[in-house]
Structure formats: C-alpha cells, structure tokens
Amino acid sequence: MDGPPKAFAGRLIVRRAAMNHRASRTEELPEHDGVGPAAQGERVASDDRWLRETPIAHRGLTGDNRPANSLAAFEAAAGEGYACELDVQLTRAGELVVVHDHELTELTGQSTRTAELTPADRQRLRLNGTDQRIPTLAEVLERVAGRVPLLIELKRPSLSLNFDLVDEVFRQTAGYPGRYAVESFDPLLVAALRVAVLRMPSDRRVPVGRICGLLRTAGPVTRMVGRSMVSNLVSRPDFLAYEVGGFPSGLTAWWRRRGVPVIAWPVVSPDQELFARQFADNIVFSGYRPSRGKDLAS
C-alpha cells in the first residue's frame, strides 16, 4: 500500500478541532484532491524556502549564559544567521511565554507550573542560574526583529478543544515583519492553526507544521497519532518536523515524495547531521554549529 491508512478516528478528532476553533466555528477544513500539503493552490504566499535551506537553532544558539529559550540565545542565533526554534505557552494571566517545560522547578529552582506563572514571577525568576529570565513572545519578536526566520512551537499540558493559544499567537504576530512558521505536536492545535491560516489574506499566510516521531515521552494519544501521522490526512501540514531517532521512516519518505518538507530534530553533531540529511530537507540543531546558516538567512 502506497501510504498510511485513513483511520476514521483520527479524521474525526482533527475535524472536530477545526470546527470548534472559535474563530471559525461554522467552517470545516477545505477538501483537497490527492494527498499533500494544503498548499496546492492555497499554500502560503510568503517565501518559505528557509524551511528547507536555513538550519534552525533549537531554542536559540545556547551556550554560557545563553540558556535555551532565552533572549541571549536568540540574539546569538540571529547574529550568526541561523533561524530560531522556540516554544510558546499561554499562562492564565494571558501572557505568551517562551519556555519549553510545563513545570519550572528544573529551569528556575522554583516549583511553579508554567500555566500559573505571573508577570511578577516571570520578571523575578532566572533560567538555570544565569542572568536570563523567561521572555514573552512579544519580547522575542522585538529582539529578533525579522533578521532570521522563527519556527514557533505551540505547547500546552494536555489535549483540549480550547484554542486561545492559537488566537493569541496570531494576534501577536499579525504585524511582525519577519518570516515565521508555526508547528505543534498536538494534532488539535495543528488543525486549528490550519483553519486560522486559511482565513488569513493570502499574502499573510504562514506555514503550518506537524511535529512527529517516536515521541516516547508524550502522552499515549499524542504518541499514537504522532507516530501514525494519520491526522496529517486532514490537517495537511506544510511541513513535518520529525524526530531524528525515528529515521529511516517510510511515512516521512511518503509525505516527502508528495512535496512536504521534512525537518529533522534534534540534531546534535556533524555526524548526526550527515545521517539526518539522507532523509530530511533541513535540521533543528543543538550543541554545535552547522557549516551553513549565515549565507542562507537572507
């Protein structure tokens, strides 16, 4: 069989997510002929070549006094011409904070859930004993200022039909002058992102991606859907971010043959990069500097 099975349960989950997105409650995702990104005829109008060509620094270019997802790490990556991957979560206070973990003890030394983080806590807490604090998405956008592309991962603690996170990300990026793309592990968020992007004027649309792989640390539903990629048949991502430990993968090869770029993550050495580039178009890297970057960021 030349492709993944069309599982009814997976299609139902992501269609319900799209239908419940508050910005488009009466719409379903558009139907498409064939299989591939929603892009054929409806694809983003902006230049997304960087997704294939510009190496992406995992949570910024980390190092001494440059912890992951810090303004210093993003500044360093932008200065060397690398695109930046970052994680965003929505707090109960309504802030979009740039942090990976749902619980902050390991990062900050204080037992606080990210969802409960207050603006005062965010200003006070420091990352991994450095002088860096947890930034907001608005602060990252202001610091990077369009110099390099951004790959924004939307995160939340559990699956739900609440899509305030999607709405707030697009509200804050509406006037951003630089290139960016959005992605998530969460199949419901990917479906909601797709609906939101298709409602945008064609010249403002941005690529929507799905993060997939072995997902050993993910919850059982996310892991099952992520490994099978069945929800892609409905949400039609513009690109896939695939865990490097899962290569070679027949599923990613199948989607890649249909024009969907594949980005390997996290790549942590030159040797692993050589391996990953056999199966992927680009990399999200950490712990070393790929030879490419500065020349491709323009």
Side-chain angles (χ1 to χ4, degrees), residues 263-290:
I263 302 171
W265 66 273
V267 173
V268 298
S269 71
D271 286 344
Q272 194 172 52
E273 179 181 349
L274 287 174
F275 168 77
R277 288 193 179 278
Q278 299 176 75
F279 313 106
D281 302 282
N282 197 6
I283 59 170
V284 174
F285 70 92
S286 179
Y288 80 108
R289 285 168 168 77

Side-chain angles (χ1 to χ4, degrees), residues 173-256:
T173 57
Y176 185 62
R179 292 167 291 174
Y180 72 97
V182 291
E183 64 175 1
S184 185
F185 284 99
D186 186 329
L188 306 183
L189 285 179
V190 175
L193 287 166
R194 166 60 63 211
V195 169
V197 165
L198 290 178
R199 289 172 57 87
M200 294 177 178
S202 60
D203 62 345
R204 285 185 49 212
R205 292 178 183 172
V206 298
V208 174
R210 177 72 199 285
I211 308 173
C212 309
L214 301 178
L215 309 184
R216 292 189 177 96
T217 62
V221 175
T222 300
R223 183 167 60 248
M224 180 274 292
V225 178
R227 286 184 175 183
S228 69
M229 302 189 212
V230 65
S231 64
N232 295 353
L233 293 165
V234 177
S235 60
R236 308 296 172 102
D238 296 306
F239 65 95
L240 299 177
Y242 193 78
E243 193 173 0
V244 68
F247 289 120
S249 162
L251 286 174
T252 58
W254 189 84
W255 285 101
R256 199 178 180 200

